Short mmCIF file of all heavy atoms in Angstrom, two decimals:
data_model
loop_
_atom_site.label_atom_id
_atom_site.label_comp_id
_atom_site.label_asym_id
_atom_site.label_seq_id
_atom_site.Cartn_x
_atom_site.Cartn_y
_atom_site.Cartn_z
N ALA A 87 13.78 22.21 15.05
CA ALA A 87 13.02 22.77 16.17
C ALA A 87 13.99 23.53 17.06
O ALA A 87 15.16 23.15 17.19
CB ALA A 87 12.34 21.65 16.97
N ARG A 88 13.51 24.61 17.65
CA ARG A 88 14.34 25.38 18.58
C ARG A 88 13.80 25.21 19.99
O ARG A 88 12.61 25.36 20.23
CB ARG A 88 14.31 26.87 18.23
CG ARG A 88 15.14 27.20 17.04
CD ARG A 88 15.43 28.66 17.02
NE ARG A 88 15.71 29.10 15.65
CZ ARG A 88 16.21 30.26 15.36
NH1 ARG A 88 16.42 31.15 16.29
NH2 ARG A 88 16.45 30.58 14.11
N GLY A 89 14.70 24.88 20.88
CA GLY A 89 14.33 24.73 22.28
C GLY A 89 14.43 26.06 23.01
O GLY A 89 14.90 27.06 22.47
N HIS A 90 13.99 26.06 24.24
CA HIS A 90 14.06 27.26 25.09
C HIS A 90 14.57 26.85 26.46
O HIS A 90 13.85 26.25 27.24
CB HIS A 90 12.68 27.90 25.24
CG HIS A 90 12.10 28.37 23.96
ND1 HIS A 90 12.49 29.55 23.36
CD2 HIS A 90 11.17 27.82 23.16
CE1 HIS A 90 11.80 29.70 22.24
NE2 HIS A 90 11.00 28.67 22.08
N ARG A 91 15.83 27.12 26.72
CA ARG A 91 16.41 26.86 28.03
C ARG A 91 17.08 28.13 28.51
O ARG A 91 18.21 28.41 28.11
CB ARG A 91 17.44 25.73 27.95
CG ARG A 91 16.81 24.39 27.79
CD ARG A 91 17.86 23.32 27.97
NE ARG A 91 17.73 22.42 26.83
CZ ARG A 91 18.74 21.87 26.19
NH1 ARG A 91 19.96 22.10 26.56
NH2 ARG A 91 18.52 21.06 25.18
N ALA A 92 16.37 28.91 29.28
CA ALA A 92 16.85 30.22 29.72
C ALA A 92 17.22 31.03 28.48
O ALA A 92 16.38 31.23 27.62
CB ALA A 92 18.01 30.05 30.69
N GLN A 93 18.47 31.45 28.39
CA GLN A 93 18.87 32.23 27.22
C GLN A 93 19.46 31.35 26.11
O GLN A 93 19.79 31.83 25.04
CB GLN A 93 19.88 33.30 27.62
CG GLN A 93 19.27 34.36 28.52
CD GLN A 93 20.27 35.41 28.90
OE1 GLN A 93 21.46 35.30 28.64
NE2 GLN A 93 19.79 36.46 29.55
N TYR A 94 19.59 30.08 26.37
CA TYR A 94 20.13 29.14 25.39
C TYR A 94 18.99 28.57 24.57
O TYR A 94 18.04 28.02 25.11
CB TYR A 94 20.89 28.03 26.13
CG TYR A 94 21.55 27.02 25.23
CD1 TYR A 94 22.61 27.38 24.40
CD2 TYR A 94 21.12 25.70 25.21
CE1 TYR A 94 23.22 26.45 23.58
CE2 TYR A 94 21.72 24.76 24.39
CZ TYR A 94 22.77 25.14 23.57
OH TYR A 94 23.36 24.22 22.76
N ARG A 95 19.05 28.75 23.26
CA ARG A 95 18.00 28.25 22.37
C ARG A 95 18.59 27.26 21.38
O ARG A 95 18.91 27.61 20.25
CB ARG A 95 17.35 29.42 21.62
CG ARG A 95 16.64 30.36 22.58
CD ARG A 95 15.79 31.33 21.87
NE ARG A 95 14.74 30.61 21.15
CZ ARG A 95 14.06 31.12 20.15
NH1 ARG A 95 14.30 32.33 19.74
NH2 ARG A 95 13.13 30.42 19.55
N PRO A 96 18.78 26.02 21.80
CA PRO A 96 19.40 25.04 20.91
C PRO A 96 18.47 24.64 19.76
O PRO A 96 17.25 24.60 19.91
CB PRO A 96 19.66 23.85 21.83
CG PRO A 96 18.59 23.95 22.87
CD PRO A 96 18.38 25.43 23.07
N CYS A 97 19.07 24.37 18.63
CA CYS A 97 18.34 23.84 17.47
C CYS A 97 18.55 22.34 17.45
O CYS A 97 19.65 21.85 17.74
CB CYS A 97 18.88 24.44 16.18
SG CYS A 97 18.67 26.22 16.05
N THR A 98 17.51 21.62 17.09
CA THR A 98 17.62 20.17 16.95
C THR A 98 17.00 19.74 15.62
O THR A 98 16.12 20.42 15.08
CB THR A 98 16.90 19.43 18.09
OG1 THR A 98 15.53 19.86 18.13
CG2 THR A 98 17.54 19.68 19.43
N LEU A 99 17.47 18.64 15.13
CA LEU A 99 16.96 18.07 13.89
C LEU A 99 15.64 17.36 14.15
O LEU A 99 15.53 16.61 15.12
CB LEU A 99 17.98 17.08 13.32
CG LEU A 99 17.58 16.32 12.07
CD1 LEU A 99 17.44 17.26 10.87
CD2 LEU A 99 18.62 15.25 11.75
N GLU A 100 14.67 17.61 13.32
CA GLU A 100 13.39 16.89 13.36
C GLU A 100 13.37 15.96 12.14
O GLU A 100 13.37 16.43 11.00
CB GLU A 100 12.21 17.88 13.30
CG GLU A 100 12.09 18.75 14.53
CD GLU A 100 11.71 17.96 15.77
OE1 GLU A 100 10.90 17.02 15.66
OE2 GLU A 100 12.23 18.29 16.85
N ALA A 101 13.36 14.68 12.38
CA ALA A 101 13.54 13.71 11.29
C ALA A 101 12.25 13.34 10.55
O ALA A 101 12.33 12.77 9.46
CB ALA A 101 14.19 12.45 11.84
N ALA A 102 11.09 13.66 11.10
CA ALA A 102 9.84 13.22 10.49
C ALA A 102 9.70 13.64 9.02
O ALA A 102 9.35 12.81 8.17
CB ALA A 102 8.64 13.70 11.31
#
Side-chain angles (χ1 to χ4, degrees):
R88 284 198 204 192
H90 298 282
R91 286 190 230 141
Q93 293 181 351
Y94 182 67
R95 295 192 62 199
C97 297
T98 56
L99 176 66
E100 293 293 323

